Amino acid sequence: MGEKPTSSRPGEFSLIERYFAPLATNAGAVHLQDDAAVFAPDAGCDLVVTKDMLVAGVHFFENDPPFDVAQKALGMNLSDLAAKGAEPKGYLLGLGLSKDISEEWVAEFCRGLKLVQDQFQIDLLGGDTISCPHGPLLSITAFGQVRKGQVVRRNEAVAGAQLYVTGTIGDGALGLKLRLDEGLADKCGLSADERDFLLKRYLLPEPRVAAAQALRDYAVAAMDISDGLIADLGHMCGTSKVRAQVQLDDVPFSGAASAMIAEDTAFFETAITGGDDYEILAAVLPENTAAFEAALQAAGLSCARIGELLAPEASEPAIALSLKGEAYTLHGAGGFTHF
Amino acid sequence: MGEKPTSSRPGEFSLIERYFAPLATNAGAVHLQDDAAVFAPDAGCDLVVTKDMLVAGVHFFENDPPFDVAQKALGMNLSDLAAKGAEPKGYLLGLGLSKDISEEWVAEFCRGLKLVQDQFQIDLLGGDTISCPHGPLLSITAFGQVRKGQVVRRNEAVAGAQLYVTGTIGDGALGLKLRLDEGLADKCGLSADERDFLLKRYLLPEPRVAAAQALRDYAVAAMDISDGLIADLGHMCGTSKVRAQVQLDDVPFSGAASAMIAEDTAFFETAITGGDDYEILAAVLPENTAAFEAALQAAGLSCARIGELLAPEASEPAIALSLKGEAYTLHGAGGFTHF
């Protein structure tokens, strides 16, 4: 509202010129010299657009390295695009900085953005930088594209489809547990490597961009798992009007996650209901499962079949879980809700 | 990070279904039942994309009515699109809610969004809702489109072009002064209508969407004025590598703004350097000025020629101001910087 917070940081335009303009190499961004970006999807393609906001203290820790925060923020959005079968194109960055945030923070943050940009060949297209009382505050809008009609939806799953997840489940949520309780890794008998693996899986999700092609070719529905496997499966079932049968024995866990679960079975539910997986949940028709598995393998990604989708029945729960041949009931809540 | 703030508000998915899904009537938004929106510009068109973040206490007052906050947030983005000559299409909404924000706040906020949507025939395409310690927190990404090559840039102004502004300048900044000092309206001898006019100009900017066609047809460069006339002209000159001569006598003021300036000449600089105008600054070649003026008039918008652009000269300032035939030097800083 016209008041100028003082800061030892360079001003907005200096920061943009020094740190953000070098990230904006797309012609439509005109080196961030305009208030708007201009671009179009390739001919015959639709844009796929996703938006995630992150605030310190909720989505990351205030003392997380900015290099990592940038990678996480961009990775979360690329994960959403990948689940839709989209190839990533670029992104807009909204960045709220409080007075205490240094130029070094911004420099390191941009170094993290650059790393992800180079990895996935995407560009910064534009954005907005603001001053705010409590920062950092991030808002990323990411753009991908698919050929028209090829987007993979969350709400188009059908009865009979087989349920798959990529990678391993629960590492992010268990990494967060380790982060919040310094003695926990020792208590669970984790090696330093196992501990670091889980901490990193929480801090630096790897978006499964390589899965996009297989999803486009073979999945009837897909979504990324960010609120926890069970909650997100619930979203898929709810919007698709199907129910699910999940064999929990088949949910893939990393060695480190398995070690924690072996130590305390409560971590089993942490793993299947906790958030921050950034793996992909996909529904694939039986006739396509072999080709889907082969395509993911060719893309360098592991996957596991964890259950199947069924026609809805009023008398049945939306999600039926089984473990060792018996029905399994969750002890706690089903997953992360944003509020 | 997995912690759930408690609130008497309905949960995220209930809020989306109850308040936000009815705003998302575009097919690509699939009633917000997916994590990503899918759309494309019309054939032969480019997308024009802009992003603005707003936080309580910086961009609006915490006690501003949510009905108005929504209109301001969306209006700011539509103002950016209009200045680029783009026709608005839709937007993504990022909304951060703290625990103390009620369901009524959300309902009123959505009522404000709906009003602007109906006025300009745009849709909510998607977004993200998060819990945050300090809210409300808004991030809007707005999409417009222009035929390929027709976007009007900020950085393509040329020497010889005539400078125009739409509407009246300074009302928003003077409205903010009135907002911050309850006795000021009386001190300046403003009528109740004049006071309310300025307060409203601060709270509810009117995006000059109707100017888009005239800008596409006749302007070589344009931008919306949000950081103050002088500062934003400086941005246009800087990125276009030209300098400007401005006759301050020709800057259009509303009757209410003129009354405040007559009372205290310090308000003159408030008006030409303060932010929140959301009018449009355009550069038009001399051969097109008559057609430009006529086109704006036909669109129901007033405009004023306030100066011209000149070739850069190292010995000359980027912006030369004159008043009553004499050079004029600003007493204060040149405009709002975000930090």
Side-chain angles (χ1 to χ4, degrees):
Chain A
M1 298 186 292
E3 287 165 59
K4 297 177 196 186
T6 53
S7 165
S8 60
R9 239 181 11 239
E12 179 190 14
F13 291 95
S14 302
L15 281 185
I16 290 174
E17 191 177 326
R18 202 174 304 172
Y19 296 107
F20 295 104
L23 299 176
T25 49
N26 184 293
V30 289
H31 305 294
L32 307 183
Q33 297 207 332
D34 204 343
D35 295 319
V38 179
F39 60 93
D42 292 345
C45 288
D46 274 328
L47 281 176
V48 180
V49 186
T50 181
K51 184 181 185 85
D52 274 309
M53 290 206 296
L54 297 87
V55 297
V58 180
H59 303 93
F60 57 91
F61 290 87
E62 297 196 21
N63 62 349
D64 277 342
F67 181 65
D68 294 337
V69 172
Q71 293 178 67
K72 176 170 187 164
L74 209 40
M76 284 169 59
N77 280 278
L78 294 180
S79 176
D80 269 327
L81 293 180
K84 305 293 100 189
E87 300 298 329
K89 300 289 285 179
Y91 66 103
L92 303 175
L93 172 69
L95 183 62
L97 297 174
S98 46
K99 272 184 278 188
D100 55 312
I101 296 172
S102 67
E103 180 174 0
E104 287 65 41
W105 193 97
V106 176
E108 279 296 293
F109 182 80
C110 287
R111 202 166 63 85
L113 294 177
K114 181 73 163 60
L115 189 78
V116 180
Q117 288 192 195
D118 289 347
Q119 190 179 354
F120 297 108
Q121 274 132 57
I122 58 174
D123 280 312
L124 175 64
L125 295 170
D128 189 26
T129 48
I130 62 166
S131 168
C132 61
H134 311 279
L137 159 65
L138 307 176
S139 172
I140 290 184
T141 302
F143 301 90
Q145 68 177 23
V146 288
R147 296 206 66 76
K148 277 184 195 294
Q150 288 208 342
V151 70
V152 184
R153 286 298 195 183
R154 177 168 75 177
N155 59 322
E156 295 180 352
V158 294
Q162 304 296 296
L163 282 173
Y164 281 87
V165 294
T166 58
T168 52
I169 297 299
D171 299 325
L174 294 170
L176 176 58
K177 290 274 184 200
L178 296 178
R179 179 76 180 260
L180 293 170
D181 178 354
E182 270 200 19
L184 185 59
D186 282 345
K187 212 185 298 172
C188 293
L190 295 188
S191 69
D193 281 354
E194 287 173 327
R195 183 198 61 207
D196 292 348
F197 169 82
L198 292 175
L199 287 170
K200 191 176 169 196
R201 287 278 282 164
Y202 168 71
L203 193 59
L204 290 174
E206 289 176 66
R208 301 306 186 189
V209 174
Q213 173 83 50
L215 293 167
R216 282 199 302 275
D217 290 347
Y218 303 113
V220 289
M223 66 186 299
D224 82 327
I225 307 170
S226 56
D227 294 347
L229 172 62
I230 302 301
D232 281 326
L233 175 57
H235 300 155
M236 180 183 279
C237 288
T239 57
S240 300
K241 298 184 174 50
V242 293
R243 62 193 170 95
Q245 169 69 49
V246 176
Q247 282 80 46
L248 292 174
D249 314 80
D250 296 334
V251 174
F253 297 121
S254 65
S258 296
M260 285 185 72
I261 292 168
E263 179 63 27
D264 183 345
T265 55
F267 290 134
F268 176 68
E269 290 205 7
T270 302
I272 63 172
T273 64
D276 290 307
D277 283 301
Y278 301 104
E279 295 293 349
I280 288 171
L281 173 68
V284 180
L285 293 178
E287 58 267 37
N288 292 324
T289 53
F292 178 71
E293 290 179 22
L296 280 185
Q297 194 177 17
L301 296 175
S302 67
C303 70
R305 204 193 68 87
I306 62 164
E308 62 186 329
L309 296 176
L310 305 166
E313 279 193 35
S315 61
E316 297 291 332
I319 301 177
L321 305 175
S322 71
L323 185 66
K324 295 178 183 156
E326 305 210 350
Y328 181 90
T329 305
L330 289 175
H331 298 87
F336 180 75
T337 52
H338 296 192
F339 47 79
Chain B
M1 297 185 295
E3 287 166 62
K4 297 178 197 187
T6 54
S7 165
S8 60
R9 243 185 3 246
E12 178 191 15
F13 290 95
S14 302
L15 281 185
I16 290 174
E17 192 177 327
R18 202 172 304 172
Y19 297 106
F20 294 103
L23 299 175
T25 49
N26 184 293
V30 290
H31 305 291
L32 307 183
Q33 297 207 333
D34 204 344
D35 295 321
V38 179
F39 60 94
D42 293 343
C45 287
D46 274 328
L47 281 176
V48 180
V49 186
T50 180
K51 185 181 185 85
D52 273 310
M53 289 206 297
L54 296 87
V55 297
V58 180
H59 303 94
F60 57 92
F61 290 87
E62 296 196 20
N63 62 347
D64 278 342
F67 181 66
D68 295 337
V69 172
Q71 292 177 67
K72 175 168 187 165
L74 209 40
M76 284 169 59
N77 281 277
L78 295 179
S79 177
D80 269 328
L81 293 180
K84 305 293 100 188
E87 300 299 329
K89 300 290 283 179
Y91 66 102
L92 304 175
L93 172 68
L95 183 62
L97 297 174
S98 45
K99 273 184 276 187
D100 56 313
I101 296 173
S102 67
E103 180 175 1
E104 287 65 41
W105 193 97
V106 176
E108 279 296 291
F109 182 80
C110 287
R111 203 166 62 85
L113 294 177
K114 181 72 164 61
L115 189 80
V116 181
Q117 288 192 193
D118 288 348
Q119 189 180 354
F120 297 109
Q121 276 131 56
I122 57 172
D123 281 311
L124 175 64
L125 295 170
D128 189 26
T129 47
I130 63 165
S131 168
C132 61
H134 311 279
L137 159 65
L138 308 176
S139 172
I140 289 185
T141 303
F143 300 90
Q145 68 176 22
V146 288
R147 295 208 66 78
K148 279 184 192 294
Q150 287 207 344
V151 69
V152 184
R153 287 300 195 180
R154 177 168 77 177
N155 60 320
E156 295 180 353
V158 295
Q162 304 296 295
L163 282 174
Y164 281 87
V165 293
T166 58
T168 53
I169 297 299
D171 299 324
L174 293 170
L176 175 59
K177 289 274 185 201
L178 296 178
R179 177 78 181 258
L180 294 170
D181 178 354
E182 270 198 19
L184 184 59
D186 282 344
K187 212 184 300 174
C188 293
L190 296 187
S191 70
D193 281 354
E194 288 173 327
R195 183 199 60 206
D196 291 349
F197 169 82
L198 293 175
L199 287 171
K200 192 176 167 195
R201 287 278 282 164
Y202 168 70
L203 194 58
L204 290 175
E206 290 176 65
R208 301 306 184 189
V209 174
Q213 173 85 49
L215 294 167
R216 282 199 301 275
D217 290 347
Y218 303 113
V220 289
M223 65 187 299
D224 83 327
I225 307 170
S226 56
D227 293 347
L229 173 61
I230 303 300
D232 280 326
L233 176 56
H235 300 155
M236 180 182 279
C237 288
T239 56
S240 300
K241 297 185 174 53
V242 293
R243 63 195 170 93
Q245 169 70 49
V246 176
Q247 282 80 47
L248 292 173
D249 315 81
D250 297 333
V251 174
F253 296 121
S254 65
S258 296
M260 284 185 72
I261 292 168
E263 180 62 28
D264 183 344
T265 55
F267 290 135
F268 176 68
E269 291 205 4
T270 302
I272 62 172
T273 63
D276 290 307
D277 285 299
Y278 301 105
E279 295 293 350
I280 287 170
L281 173 68
V284 180
L285 293 178
E287 58 267 36
N288 292 324
T289 54
F292 178 70
E293 291 178 23
L296 280 185
Q297 195 178 16
L301 296 175
S302 66
C303 72
R305 205 194 68 87
I306 61 165
E308 63 186 329
L309 297 175
L310 306 166
E313 278 193 36
S315 61
E316 297 291 330
I319 302 178
L321 305 174
S322 72
L323 186 66
K324 295 176 183 159
E326 304 208 351
Y328 181 90
T329 305
L330 289 174
H331 298 88
F336 180 77
T337 53
H338 295 194
F339 46 76

